[in-house]
């Protein structure tokens, strides 16, 4: 008996140790998932300068242009003639055999230096361009046109010029994009980049000829503009829509996909061929796996699904690629991306899609080897983009040299080209150069973006020349296999969510055409003077007046400093951060692309990284505004009469007005959230006063910004919805802290009251339940009707109030499942016992303890302080999660104990009832999430609590981004169902056995 007594005495201690141990394991896992790590990033230093002012050089005297009769050379000759006319010189004639001041092209197959090499020399009073091929001759003519347009000396020194990089690709610019303002919506975050959408018809003839002609006109202009800038290749979205799989039974007879593919080839084949006929390489581009419903069904029948390591699957795609090269024979190859896909990339009304399915090194290698077999036979190239974001080696391919070696190591083929973004991440600033471009012996090209998607989508002045030069020089010095660039003139990001600015077509596209122009020059000569190149762009585009050009160049020399301080928080952005199990980008507080966020996870993390440099981070906002105002003053001070086009001057000053206004608004918000989180961290009264004052400035600035630009399609207002949600919650922190303090005092006093001798029955019962629940059965008390109500009503009120305080009374999406789970658990047990008093007392006592624990996390600085500790303080998080999870498990242990001791149930009976009571809320929660949809359920919850970026659902999808299984609600409901069934079986088994024994 003594041994049994000792065992019973130590049993609660053992249970507590076990519960705390389990809580510690959960805390360890949570810390691993949420752990914050920071290390300095090797961010390249940019030093922009303005080229010194100079007068224009008089254009050379050219009375005639004599070129061989080829469309490529005639087009280039027209560029020279147009440049002369723009400078006020007489329009030269163009004919063979001219004499005098003639610009003459001479083709000689013996000319050394390669197909694009040329030499410009003096030839009497005129000039000569010597080359061995059409490409070189055209390049020489475009070089002369460029120098004339820039008001510079034509370098007729007889030197042979060859491009440093032989492959210089551009994207499709704005070809095919709609220009109707109604198509542009601030929340249209579709990432589809198809350019043929306007021409598609749902039924035969499937393609609208009028729309095709419109797209063809835009494409011809893009090709001619790109050739003049120095590009020699273009990338066109498309693959599956041109393929009928004619040698396979993917599409049965009568399937419209066959006729549609034939219509696409017939309509757009000649359009894209225009680039080939003028000497540009033409690459088609697709995401993998590219799918249509019949193709998916065919793969299911023949391969058993999307088995991307199986050659039977790639046999199908090999047939498709061979057909593409057959029906579009001028195509030079196929560009493949495997890292993006899904609903955001689909064209409405178009049943072609892409799925992220090539996710293992073996699958990548199988895909590439398969496609390279076709490409090798046809003399074409396969360009594989390393842009792949996800789990494992393939998911890390873009930024991890070890992953690059694992996936592509040893995979060499003369027809394989690997394309990689220049930055160690997406097209943000404050990122190191991408060291995977130092890897491998494959042919490599470097990706650049002109219309910077994360930095205003082209609406802000942003001279990238110096950074692009730093990157190219570094890669060329480290890797002899780098042979080209791919410049995105328009692409990247949501093409219809940002400014209605269309390259070569609409809006102030000239602003980001600077980067396309300079990057082409760098591809020809990485040592080009980038400041002089910017000045050339200014002369070509705006004015030949030295003072005006100088002012524009001085403004552009400030542009990078303005952008990288106005849109980034330096102490955070200059760090390589891992937080919440992810590697967030260096901007983050402005979530892709214009959403100023208000979520605690992001803002608390930014502050935690910047904690020792808050004043510096705040000051950056003012610096950015100052730089933007200087830029605006420089351009506004120019003489309007010196501009070729008054509309361009108006657009430039309007853009700078917008930049000043935007930077003032986000600068005020920067100060607001940094000072607010500083107050959460330190409790400083000065920080509190500063954040409240900044909040007033922000609200005023935001209202003005939205009023001025909310309906502007060219210079659209940023989206402050998430910021306002976060600010509303932040403004309640202090009030919630006081409510939590009051609740904590009330609960503690209630419990202490119950500890006093002679205390009323209900407080004494709750005290016993909270401190020694195993003794509830031995209480010597006769509860009144009031006592019976109080033992559940008081804890229920405490639970409701504490959770409402945690959510700042703003998140019913959190309260409904949380309080609903408590209610279902208690009611289920209530239905399984005759007198619920002791049971409600046990649950109530534990509920009060958990209320005390939660209130302790809220009393300092409210919900904001609670979440700040969760996100940024591992010791606090460890202790809290350990105790909180132990308390969660204790609910079931206590219920079991009371059923055993207070209701004299057997182990089987008590366990059955606890399992049933635990399973029903779990099943109900899973069913509710499944009914609402997991993504929508998480979105509603997050929108009200502002814990994760508001834009996650709108752009990427919370479940996709956080890699939450889509079938989680079903799994939760199933788990709850299993528990409930097991519990019911145990309960009914004993009841049946009891009946039989009678």
């Amino acid at each position: 008996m003594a041994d049994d007594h000792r065992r019973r005495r130590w049993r609660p201690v053992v249970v507590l140790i076990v519960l705390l141990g389990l809580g510690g394991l959960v805390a360890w896992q949570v810390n691993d998932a949420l752990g914050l790590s920071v290390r300095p990033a090797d961010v390249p230093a940019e030093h922009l300068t303005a080229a010194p002012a100079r007068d224009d050089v008089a254009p050379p005297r050219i009375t005639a242009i004599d070129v061989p009769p080829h469309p490529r050379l005639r087009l280039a000759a027209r560029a020279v003639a147009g440049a002369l006319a723009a400078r006020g010189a007489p329009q030269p004639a163009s004919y063979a055999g001219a004499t005098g001041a003639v610009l003459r092209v001479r083709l000689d197959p013996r000319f050394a230096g390669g197909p694009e090499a040329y030499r410009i020399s003096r030839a009497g009073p005129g000039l000569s361009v010597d080359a061995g091929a059409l490409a070189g001759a055209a390049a020489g003519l475009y070089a002369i046109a460029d120098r004339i347009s820039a008001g510079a000396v034509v370098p007729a020194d007889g030197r042979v010029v060859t491009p440093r990089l032989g492959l210089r690709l551009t994207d499709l610019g704005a070809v095919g994009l709609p220009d109707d303002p109604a198509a542009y919506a601030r929340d249209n975050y579709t990432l589809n980049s198809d350019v043929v959408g306007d021409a598609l018809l749902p039924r035969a003839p499937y393609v609208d000829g009028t729309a095709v002609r419109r797209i063809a006109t835009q494409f011809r202009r893009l090709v001619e503009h790109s050739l003049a800038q120095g590009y020699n290749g273009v990338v066109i979205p498309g693959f599956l829509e041109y393929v009928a799989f004619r040698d396979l039974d993917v599409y049965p007879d009568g399937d419209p996909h066959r006729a549609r593919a034939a219509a696409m080839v017939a309509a757009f084949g000649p359009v894209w061929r225009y680039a080939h006929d003028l000497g540009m390489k033409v690459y088609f581009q697709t995401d993998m796996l590219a799918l249509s419903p019949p193709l998916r069904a065919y793969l299911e029948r023949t391969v058993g699904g999307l088995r991307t390591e199986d050659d039977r699957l790639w046999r199908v795609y090999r047939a498709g690629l061979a057909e593409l090269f057959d029906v579009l024979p001028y195509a030079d190859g196929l560009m493949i991306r495997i890292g993006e896909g899904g609903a955001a990339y689909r064209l409405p009304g178009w049943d072609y899609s892409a799925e992220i399915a090539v996710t293992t090194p073996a699958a990548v290698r199988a895909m590439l080897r398969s496609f390279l077999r076709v490409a090798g036979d046809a003399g074409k190239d396969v360009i594989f983009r390393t842009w792949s974001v996800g789990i494992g080696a393939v998911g890390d391919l873009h930024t991890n040299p070890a992953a690059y070696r694992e996936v592509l190591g040893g995979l060499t083929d003369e027809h394989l080209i690997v394309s990689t973004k220049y930055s160690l991440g997406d097209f943000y600033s404050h990122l190191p150069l991408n060291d995977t471009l130092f890897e491998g012996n494959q042919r490599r090209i470097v990706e650049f973006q002109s219309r910077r998607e994360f930095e205003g989508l082209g609406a802000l002045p942003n001279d990238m020349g110096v950074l692009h030069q730093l990157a190219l020089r570094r890669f060329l010095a480290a890797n002899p296999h780098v042979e080209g660039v791919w410049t995105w003139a328009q692409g990247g990001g949501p093409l219809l969510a940002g400014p209605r600015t269309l390259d070569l077509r609409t809006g102030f596209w000239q602003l980001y055409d600077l980067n396309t122009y300079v990057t082409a020059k760098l591809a020809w000569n990485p040592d080009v003077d980038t400041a002089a190149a910017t000045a050339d762009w200014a002369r070509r585009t705006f004015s030949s007046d030295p003072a005006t050009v100088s002012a524009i160049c001085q403004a552009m020399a400030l542009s990078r400093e303005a952008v990288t301080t106005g849109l980034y928080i330096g102490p955070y952005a200059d760090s390589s951060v891992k937080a919440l199990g992810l590697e967030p980008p260096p901007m983050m507080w402005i979530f892709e692309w214009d959403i100023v966020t208000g979520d605690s996870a992001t803002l608390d993390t930014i502050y935690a990284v910047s904690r020792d440099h808050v004043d510096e981070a705040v000051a950056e906002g003012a610096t950015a505004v100052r730089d933007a105002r200087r830029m605006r003053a420089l351009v506004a001070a120019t003489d309007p009469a010196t501009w070729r086009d008054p509309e361009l001057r108006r657009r430039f000053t309007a853009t700078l007005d917008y930049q000043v206004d935007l930077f003032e608004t986000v600068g005020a918000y920067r100060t607001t959230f940094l000072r607010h989180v500083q107050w959460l961290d330190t409790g400083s009264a000065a920080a509190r006063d500063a954040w409240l004052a900044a909040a007033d400035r922000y609200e005023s600035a935001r209202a003005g910004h939205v009023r001025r630009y909310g309906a502007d399609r060219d210079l659209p207002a940023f989206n402050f919805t998430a910021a306002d949600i976060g600010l509303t919650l932040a403004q309640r922190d202090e009030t919630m802290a006081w409510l939590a303090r009051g609740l904590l005092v009330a609960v503690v006093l209630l419990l202490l009251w119950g500890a006093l001798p002679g205390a009323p029955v209900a407080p004494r019962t709750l005290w016993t339940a909270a401190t020694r629940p195993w003794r509830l059965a031995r209480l010597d008390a006769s509860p009144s009707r009031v006592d019976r109500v109080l033992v559940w009503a008081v804890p229920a009120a405490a639970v409701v109030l504490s959770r409402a305080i945690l959510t700042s009374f703003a998140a019913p999406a959190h309260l409904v499942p949380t309080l609903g789970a408590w209610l279902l658990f208690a009611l289920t047990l209530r239905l399984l016992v005759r007198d619920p008093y002791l049971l409600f007392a046990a649950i109530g006592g534990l509920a009060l303890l958990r209320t005390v624990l939660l209130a302790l996390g809220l009393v300092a600085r409210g919900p904001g302080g609670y979440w700040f500790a969760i996100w940024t303080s591992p010791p606090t998080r460890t202790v809290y999660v350990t105790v909180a999870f132990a308390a969660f498990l204790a609910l079931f242990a206590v219920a079991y104990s009371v059923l055993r001791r207070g209701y004299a149930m057997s182990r089987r009976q008590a366990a059955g009832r606890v399992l049933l009571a635990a399973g029903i809320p779990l099943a109900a929660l899973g069913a509710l999430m499944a009914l609402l949809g997991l993504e929508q359920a998480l979105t509603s919850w997050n929108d009200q609590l502002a814990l994760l970026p508001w834009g996650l659902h709108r752009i990427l999808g919370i479940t996709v981004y956080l890699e939450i299984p889509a079938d989680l609600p079903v799994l939760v409901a199933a788990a709850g169902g299993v528990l409930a069934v097991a519990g019911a079986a145990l309960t009914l088994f004993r009841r049946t056995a009891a009946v039989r024994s009678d």
Side-chain angles (χ1 to χ4, degrees), residues 736-737 740-741 802 805-806 853-863 866:
M736 295 303 108
R741 292 163 194 162
S802 64
I805 294 170
L806 173 65
L853 176 63
L854 179 58
L856 285 171
L858 297 169
V859 292
R861 260 129 358 235
Y866 172 93

Side-chain angles (χ1 to χ4, degrees), residues 1-20:
M1 290 294 294
D3 289 342
D4 184 60
H5 177 72
R6 281 194 295 270
R7 282 197 299 271
R8 290 186 178 183
R9 188 176 60 187
W10 283 100
R11 189 173 296 163
V13 176
V14 172
V15 170
L16 180 61
I17 292 173
V18 170
L19 294 180
L20 289 173

Side-chain angles (χ1 to χ4, degrees), residues 263-604:
M264 289 288 294
V265 170
F268 283 102
V271 175
W272 312 136
R273 186 183 183 99
Y274 182 75
H276 167 80
D277 292 343
L278 288 179
M280 295 189 85
K281 291 182 178 294
V282 178
Y283 291 93
F284 288 86
Q285 176 189 17
T286 186
D287 287 318
M288 274 291 162
L289 284 174
L291 294 165
S292 65
L295 176 56
R296 182 189 290 270
Y298 180 82
L299 294 174
E300 292 283 352
R301 291 196 310 271
T302 60
V303 185
L306 306 183
R307 302 164 65 93
T308 56
E309 296 182 12
D310 191 327
D311 187 65
R312 291 177 299 165
L313 178 142
W314 295 116
R315 178 182 65 85
V316 178
Y317 285 97
R318 282 200 299 273
L321 183 59
E323 183 178 335
L324 179 77
F325 289 155
D326 183 51
V327 298
L328 302 174
Y330 54 82
D332 290 279
L334 182 69
M335 177 180 283
I336 301 168
R337 178 178 69 176
I338 62 171
E340 296 191 35
Y345 296 84
R346 293 191 63 174
L347 180 66
W350 197 235
D351 67 354
Y352 299 105
S353 63
E355 190 160 319
I356 301 175
V358 185
T359 57
T360 66
V364 173
R365 297 170 79 89
M367 175 188 70
L368 291 179
R369 287 194 173 110
S370 186
F371 281 158
L372 285 167
R373 284 170 54 183
V374 178
D377 292 342
K380 314 287 188 179
D381 291 327
V382 172
I383 302 178
F384 174 62
R385 296 190 60 206
T386 61
W387 182 248
S388 179
V389 181
I391 298 174
V394 174
D396 214 14
L397 178 62
H398 180 64
T399 57
N400 187 335
Y404 186 96
R405 292 190 290 271
E406 180 180 350
V407 176
L408 296 174
L411 184 59
T412 57
D413 190 292
E414 62 178 324
H415 296 285
L416 174 62
I417 302 172
V418 179
S419 180
T420 302
K421 293 180 182 180
Y422 80 92
S423 52
L424 202 66
D426 214 338
F427 286 122
Y428 292 96
S429 298
H430 291 272
L431 282 175
L433 299 179
N434 195 336
D435 53 2
T436 64
L437 274 157
F438 305 156
E439 294 292 328
N441 54 6
Q442 297 88 4
R443 300 162 63 191
R444 304 298 298 272
I445 60 176
V446 185
E447 300 176 14
F448 296 104
Q449 186 179 52
S450 298
R451 185 179 183 253
R452 299 280 288 185
E453 61 182 288
F454 302 109
E455 296 168 356
L457 280 162
L460 305 177
N462 203 353
D463 186 347
M464 301 297 302
V466 168
L467 184 55
H468 288 183
Q469 183 176 61
L470 287 170
L472 269 183
R473 284 175 167 176
R474 182 84 178 274
F475 300 143
L476 288 169
N479 189 345
H481 303 292
V482 173
E483 64 174 59
V485 299
W486 180 26
T487 304
W488 302 7
Q490 177 86 18
L495 297 175
L496 302 180
R500 190 181 68 99
T501 305
L502 303 175
D503 186 43
L504 305 180
R505 292 174 54 198
T506 301
F508 195 25
W509 57 268
Q510 294 86 351
L511 194 61
Y512 52 87
D513 191 52
L514 162 66
N515 296 325
T516 310
Y517 173 76
V518 174
T519 304
K521 285 186 170 297
L522 290 168
W524 273 82
N525 176 15
D527 296 324
V528 74
D529 183 338
T530 55
T534 297
D536 292 345
W537 161 80
R539 284 188 181 83
R540 292 166 53 96
T541 307
F542 302 114
S543 174
S544 60
D545 178 68
T548 297
V549 170
S550 179
I552 293 171
C553 289
Q554 291 177 60
M556 296 306 295
L558 293 168
S559 65
R560 288 294 292 157
E561 181 72 14
V563 164
T564 56
T565 54
L567 298 180
Y568 296 84
I569 296 171
Y572 169 80
D574 285 333
S575 302
S576 179
V577 177
K578 184 172 183 180
L580 314 182
L582 304 168
E583 295 183 16
M587 186 180 291
M588 204 60 194
W589 69 300
I590 301 175
F591 190 80
E592 307 168 340
W593 287 255
D594 59 353
I595 300 171
V596 183
T597 197
D599 63 284
S600 60
T602 295
L603 302 184
D604 291 354

